[in-house]
Amino acid sequence: MVDLQRQYRRIKPEVDTAIAAVLDNSAFINGQPVQDFARSLEQYLGIDHVIPCGNGTDALQIAMMALGLEPGDEVITPSFTFIATAEVIALLGLKPVFVDVDEQTYCLDIQQVEKAITSKTKAIVPVHLFGQSADMEPLMALARKHKLAVIEDNAQAIGGTYTFEDGSTKKTGTIGTIGCTSFFPSKNLGGYGDGGALFTDDEELAARIRMIANHGQSKRYYHDVVGCNSRLDTLQAAVLGIKLQHLDEYIAARRNAAAYYDKAFSSCDDIIIPYRAGNTLHVFHQYTIRVPADKRDSLRDYLATQGIPAMIYYPVPAHKQQMFAAFKAGKFTLPVTDFLAGEVLSLPMHTELDEAQLKYITDHVLQFMNA
Ligand SMILES: *Cc1c(COP(=O)(O)O)cnc(C)c1O
């Protein structure tokens, strides 16, 4: 699904030098590269504050803690996402309210969000799934109207953009109250271990986030609030600093691979290719097709026999997971989420796919589908 080795070999001299410098310095925690990377990412994203942390799940948790959400508060989130999004809501004693996604973008359906808002709703967590931005303009309008916080789960879409009606463009993760991301190795901007970050333009909120991520302390050994310990280590920051310089190339490579897939599959009526909303830049964390549910698993199995990995993201939506049984999550009616879970298949997508590989993959997909 990804080829991190080949990607590393292309930037090996830069990365090795950066890692050696950290080892020489031995400032493994909060070393200078952590600050340098945060400042570079602020510039890249066009946001005032990037606060690094330990991983993307922590970022979501810290965001909800910093917003002062309290047990019983309702948080609206899609069910068709990686489990972390909903898990942290439950972990903090908040109530996950699962809302269906749009059939084309696979991101939150804004009309369904509006219907799910109650007097207890405090926040909305849109997920820019597979690298496609959620429809942020109407979502932000809804949030303003109901005075709700918006936490963008940008773990799969760093570098993606969203263009508003007035023509202005923002990077995903910088539109809501707080943006969260993950630097897990296979993400579009991935380290060589765990990592994550939060983004915000709100200075007070940034200070709260820094405090919560650092044991709730504002001054050393004075702990004002209950926090946690969540840091990006210096080695990861050094690697990420190098990889950030290549992020736009990486996005271009992913988009080229996606264009190849699109063209190849255009001849097959049984394959629905990923939708691109006209006002977004899709960064293709995944290239996810839809095929008839009765063919999906056998297509995946056939590809496996040909040495082609393909994955189902996500086979069991969050609202059907045992972990949410106590929330009676199964009672949510999410027809789009349910049929997507039966039809989606993600094909290999990364920065190192060459034409021979793409041809091999698409030939075999088409061979199976047209048989
Ligand atoms: C990867 C991911 C996360 C969690 O990131 P970790 O760094 O693995 O904790 C959260 N949300 C989504 C949508 C993700 O894809």
Side-chain angles (χ1 to χ4, degrees):
M1 292 295 285
V2 294
D3 188 347
L4 296 173
Q5 237 172 44
R6 203 155 132 185
Q7 192 193 55
Y8 166 59
R9 284 200 295 272
R10 286 200 292 132
I11 54 171
K12 183 170 162 41
E14 297 163 76
V15 168
D16 290 1
T17 305
I19 289 178
V22 175
L23 299 186
D24 271 343
N25 229 291
S26 302
F28 296 115
I29 300 293
N30 290 333
Q32 190 57 39
V34 179
Q35 305 312 315
D36 294 347
F37 169 64
R39 301 296 85 76
S40 304
L41 190 55
E42 283 164 2
Q43 253 187 346
Y44 177 84
L45 294 170
I47 189 114
D48 288 350
H49 307 278
V50 165
I51 303 105
C53 68
N55 58 67
T57 309
D58 278 4
L60 290 162
Q61 181 184 327
I62 293 164
M64 289 176 206
M65 290 169 79
L67 288 166
L69 303 188
E70 285 174 5
D73 287 349
E74 294 179 2
V75 178
I76 291 174
T77 181
S79 169
F80 193 58
T81 177
F82 179 59
I83 197 67
T85 322
E87 185 182 33
V88 298
I89 297 171
L91 185 72
L92 294 173
L94 312 171
K95 187 175 169 219
V97 174
F98 294 108
V99 163
D100 217 347
V101 290
D102 177 82
E103 179 175 342
Q104 288 185 303
T105 63
Y106 310 159
C107 297
L108 272 181
D109 178 332
I110 310 302
Q111 281 174 351
Q112 300 299 324
V113 171
E114 182 152 32
K115 284 188 199 156
I117 294 172
T118 72
S119 58
K120 288 186 175 163
T121 309
K122 291 291 159 58
I124 308 171
V125 187
V127 180
H128 305 308
L129 200 71
F130 304 151
Q132 166 67 64
S133 176
D135 197 1
M136 291 305 290
E137 184 151 17
L139 186 77
M140 293 307 293
L142 202 58
R144 271 192 300 274
K145 184 170 145 197
H146 295 273
K147 299 192 164 53
L148 306 176
V150 173
I151 301 167
E152 294 177 77
D153 183 341
N154 198 39
Q156 301 190 0
I158 198 154
T161 65
Y162 182 92
T163 301
F164 294 80
E165 297 258 311
D166 67 2
S168 65
T169 294
K170 282 192 171 187
K171 288 235 160 59
T172 56
T174 70
I175 301 164
T177 322
I178 302 177
C180 294
T181 205
S182 162
F183 304 122
F184 186 81
S186 64
K187 302 282 157 111
N188 287 23
L189 178 59
Y192 295 166
D194 278 310
L198 299 96
F199 323 139
T200 186
D201 272 325
D202 181 329
E203 193 166 339
E204 260 174 55
L205 202 48
R208 249 187 107 68
I209 290 168
R210 282 183 219 283
M211 183 161 82
I212 287 168
N214 186 23
H215 298 295
Q217 70 188 342
S218 48
K219 198 166 94 184
R220 200 153 198 202
Y221 302 123
Y222 290 80
H223 305 272
D224 303 344
V225 296
V226 174
C228 58
N229 171 31
S230 188
R231 297 183 282 240
L232 179 69
D233 72 65
T234 311
L235 279 168
Q236 297 309 329
V239 171
L240 288 164
I242 303 291
K243 288 187 71 176
L244 178 58
Q245 296 170 28
H246 295 275
L247 181 57
D248 285 340
E249 287 159 43
Y250 290 159
I251 291 171
R254 287 173 179 274
R255 288 174 53 82
N256 279 337
Y260 187 103
Y261 279 136
D262 282 356
K263 192 153 173 267
F265 297 147
S266 63
S267 60
C268 182
D269 291 341
D270 268 353
I271 298 176
I272 300 177
I273 61 169
Y275 175 78
R276 282 89 155 150
N279 60 337
T280 66
L281 181 83
H282 194 318
V283 293
F284 288 98
H285 176 58
Q286 299 295 344
Y287 185 89
T288 305
I289 57 172
R290 277 169 59 196
V291 296
D294 59 347
K295 285 191 183 168
R296 197 265 313 269
D297 289 1
S298 41
L299 171 60
R300 179 201 49 193
D301 296 346
Y302 168 73
L303 293 175
T305 66
Q306 303 304 309
I308 300 167
M311 297 288 286
I312 296 163
Y313 301 125
Y314 296 91
V316 182
H319 75 291
K320 298 229 164 123
Q321 296 285 353
Q322 181 66 30
M323 70 155 68
F324 295 123
F327 293 90
K328 301 198 171 35
K331 78 173 176 10
F332 288 96
T333 317
L334 309 173
V336 178
T337 295
D338 288 339
F339 79 65
L340 285 177
E343 294 185 356
V344 288
L345 189 65
S346 296
L347 299 175
M349 172 49 79
H350 53 85
T351 58
E352 310 304 312
L353 283 167
D354 59 35
E355 199 153 328
Q357 290 172 314
L358 288 164
K359 180 166 170 20
Y360 182 82
I361 297 164
T362 51
D363 282 353
H364 281 90
V365 170
L366 289 169
Q367 201 171 315
F368 180 87
M369 293 304 291
N370 293 329

